[in-house]
Amino acid sequence: MKKLLLSASMLMLAGASAFAVTDGQTYEPVDGIKCENLWVFDRQHTEDAYKANPIAATSARTATTDGTTVYVGLSGETATIEKFDLKTGAYLGSLALTKGGEAFKGTLAVNQVGFDEYGHFYAATFSANSKGDGQYEVYTVDLTTGAVTLVGDLFFDGGTGRIDYCDVIGDITGVEANATVMAVTSAADNMNVFKWVREKGSNEWMGGWTDQATFQAIKAGQTYPNGITGFSLGSVLKIVRDGSKSGNMNMFYIDGFTSQPALYGSDGAMIDNIGNADLIVKDKEGVITSGTVVEPDKGTNGIAEGSVDGTNLMIYSEGQYNAPHKCQAIITTVDENMSFESMKPLWTVPADGLGQTSDTGTRVHSIFCLPQNDGSALVLTFKCFNGMGVYKITKKKEDSVESNVVAAANITVNGNVIAVSEVAESIEVFNVAGQKVAEARNASEVAAPATGAYIVKAGVAGAPVVKKIILKTLK
């Protein structure tokens, strides 16, 4: 298989040049929605450069982004945050973390990294939590100095079960809004879900389940598939953002090693699951007999919501690295209710995968979908020990204001000027020999040349409007 190689020396020029390696795949438009790979940095396409970078380690478990930079948490001998440009993939260097002036370290000290809804970067540690008598350690991180600060006491209060990953909404510092921290246990023998809440202005974290004696919420509730008694290895919980930034949780997803993505309500009851989608069914020979939605492989954990120009998206992890899986994510559209039943597949990214190298069972797949000011969305997919990539999703604006403006734009002759009915980014006038004889920028008119036939080309709302005109003797 052909690989696109990039030297490590080029990669290490932090920010000096754009990282230009793409996956080389073509993603055909679906229902007017387009997908373009901006860059990849992985074992499949940039193997040498990837292996030379610090994130090519099994202790680089999770990634996050603020819309400008990709941050990868690395729990090496000293915990660091490795930084990459979101739009180009250029490596921006390493930030060493410190606690109380000393190097911050420990077993998977930054197992989870993320941002709350007010831009505070946080890092959470792995917790064995076999007895339920300790607390979950979550820190804010100063991305300038690398100093970490414990957010407060998140006690387990008797709830047991290993915690690998968490999620945060609101303001984790409690200054501007309430905050909620949630995590699901990666335990084989229980399905405990932890929820801690912090009210605005308070320094204390409280249990979030009002009807429970401890933080435990789900013990033997519904799952998909049914009958699961423990979510097991590397389980992921993702809180649904409602846009209010209030810090109050209403719904959340759980995707575990033994379970597949399911949506739960504020009381911990299951609302929806991927089993309600039109899952693909194959016969004994592997031929698809029905369905359109690929069922995620057992053991891969990751799901994200998003949108592009008003169309809702749901993205989930297809599989890990066990053949034939290649650490890919599947992008789908969903209805206004974000229901699994409405899922319609768009693309699998990368089409040829990030890699197939075992990360010793990390399971988590970091996926993010970030709306952009121009109506597009950027999708970040990161898989430990195999790599990452960013994809730009755009939607054709057939019914947009810009399209209507272009359709309505008209070019006329008005006395001594050539006029465009809308303000144009450019107006260019060419004679029959193809020579440009007049032009104007960000204008609605240009001075008319001498008598004769001309071609006028105007750029309106990013699209060309062309018309042939004949100028008679000017008065």
Side-chain angles (χ1 to χ4, degrees):
M1 181 176 293
K2 182 178 180 180
K3 294 183 182 294
L4 300 175
L5 302 180
L6 183 70
S7 71
S9 59
M10 176 181 173
L11 179 71
M12 298 300 284
L13 293 175
S17 61
F19 186 94
V21 177
T22 68
D23 65 15
Q25 304 295 305
T26 298
Y27 298 91
E28 296 296 335
V30 180
D31 295 336
I33 305 176
K34 299 179 180 180
C35 176
E36 174 192 5
N37 177 228
L38 298 186
W39 57 270
V40 286
F41 183 48
D42 62 4
R43 293 186 183 276
Q44 182 74 10
H45 308 90
T46 62
E47 184 177 23
D48 289 351
Y50 176 76
K51 288 166 64 175
N53 192 274
I55 71 167
T58 57
S59 57
R61 295 292 179 91
T62 55
T64 190
T65 180
D66 58 2
T68 300
T69 304
V70 178
Y71 302 89
V72 181
L74 178 59
S75 301
E77 291 185 11
T78 300
T80 64
I81 302 298
E82 306 300 323
K83 299 176 292 183
F84 300 80
D85 186 280
L86 176 65
K87 294 184 178 180
T88 68
Y91 180 52
L92 304 179
S94 179
L95 176 67
L97 303 188
T98 61
K99 179 181 179 182
E102 301 291 333
F104 184 47
K105 53 188 177 181
T107 303
L108 298 176
V110 289
N111 205 36
Q112 173 73 56
V113 293
F115 283 93
D116 69 10
E117 293 180 287
Y118 287 82
H120 301 115
F121 187 93
Y122 67 86
T125 65
F126 159 84
S127 177
N129 189 34
S130 59
K131 298 180 180 179
D133 57 355
Q135 69 179 56
Y136 191 39
E137 294 186 4
V138 182
Y139 298 83
T140 55
V141 179
D142 186 320
L143 289 175
T144 300
T145 66
V148 305
T149 304
L150 192 68
V151 300
D153 298 323
L154 284 71
F155 294 118
F156 289 119
D157 198 23
T160 60
R162 188 184 90 189
I163 292 181
D164 291 324
Y165 314 110
C166 69
D167 197 16
V168 178
I169 58 170
D171 179 3
I172 198 170
T173 69
V175 174
E176 298 185 70
N178 298 342
T180 298
V181 176
M182 295 187 69
V184 59
T185 59
S186 298
D189 59 354
N190 72 70
M191 303 196 315
N192 293 337
V193 177
F194 293 93
K195 178 184 176 184
W196 298 272
V197 296
R198 177 180 195 167
E199 294 185 353
K200 178 181 178 180
S202 173
N203 292 322
E204 188 175 4
W205 290 92
M206 303 295 293
W209 302 108
T210 57
D211 296 330
Q212 300 291 330
T214 70
F215 295 104
Q216 299 176 42
I218 301 174
K219 294 185 177 181
Q222 281 186 289
T223 58
Y224 180 77
N226 292 325
I228 291 170
T229 58
F231 290 118
S232 195
L233 309 171
S235 297
V236 170
L237 183 148
K238 189 73 173 180
I239 305 173
V240 174
R241 274 68 172 161
D242 61 10
S244 69
K245 299 173 65 175
S246 66
N248 300 320
M249 182 277 293
N250 294 307
M251 292 183 289
F252 58 95
Y253 293 96
I254 292 178
D255 188 8
F257 174 67
T258 55
S259 69
Q260 294 181 348
L263 179 67
Y264 295 82
S266 58
D267 60 354
M270 191 171 73
I271 298 172
D272 194 7
N273 63 73
I274 199 169
N276 293 324
D278 185 23
L279 296 179
I280 289 174
V281 176
K282 299 180 180 180
D283 61 21
K284 293 181 179 179
E285 284 70 41
V287 177
I288 296 175
T289 58
S290 64
T292 58
V293 179
V294 174
E295 185 172 8
D297 189 48
K298 178 182 177 181
T300 188
N301 309 332
I303 189 167
E305 292 183 351
S307 65
V308 56
D309 197 26
T311 296
N312 290 329
L313 303 175
M314 187 175 291
I315 309 162
Y316 64 97
S317 180
E318 185 276 335
Q320 291 225 95
Y321 35 72
N322 51 310
H325 309 290
K326 300 176 182 178
C327 299
Q328 296 161 300
I330 296 179
I331 303 174
T332 73
T333 58
V334 286
D335 63 16
E336 64 276 8
N337 297 316
M338 305 297 291
S339 67
F340 284 104
E341 183 179 15
S342 68
M343 293 176 81
K344 182 176 181 180
L346 296 177
W347 314 279
T348 299
V349 296
D352 55 349
L354 292 171
Q356 289 184 294
T357 301
S358 172
D359 59 14
T360 69
T362 297
R363 313 294 176 190
V364 65
H365 193 149
S366 298
I367 304 172
F368 296 89
C369 183
L370 297 91
Q372 303 296 295
N373 292 333
D374 62 0
S376 66
L378 296 183
V379 173
L380 166 66
T381 173
F382 172 92
K383 189 66 179 70
C384 172
F385 215 41
N386 282 275
M388 59 182 168
V390 171
Y391 292 79
K392 184 175 183 178
I393 312 300
T394 55
K395 185 178 178 183
K396 188 176 180 180
K397 300 177 181 293
E398 291 181 337
D399 298 322
S400 66
V401 173
E402 291 84 355
S403 295
N404 291 334
V405 167
V406 173
N410 190 27
I411 299 173
T412 59
V413 178
N414 184 14
N416 293 332
V417 300
I418 298 170
V420 182
S421 59
E422 307 291 338
V423 175
E425 293 90 52
S426 64
I427 306 174
E428 298 173 303
V429 183
F430 299 87
N431 62 21
V432 292
Q435 299 170 318
K436 185 189 295 184
V437 295
E439 66 176 332
R441 302 287 174 182
N442 298 315
S444 59
E445 60 184 34
V446 63
T451 301
Y454 298 90
I455 301 295
V456 181
K457 181 178 180 181
V460 180
V465 179
V466 182
K467 186 174 182 179
K468 181 178 180 180
I469 63 172
I470 297 178
L471 291 176
K472 298 180 180 179
T473 303
L474 300 178
K475 296 181 179 179

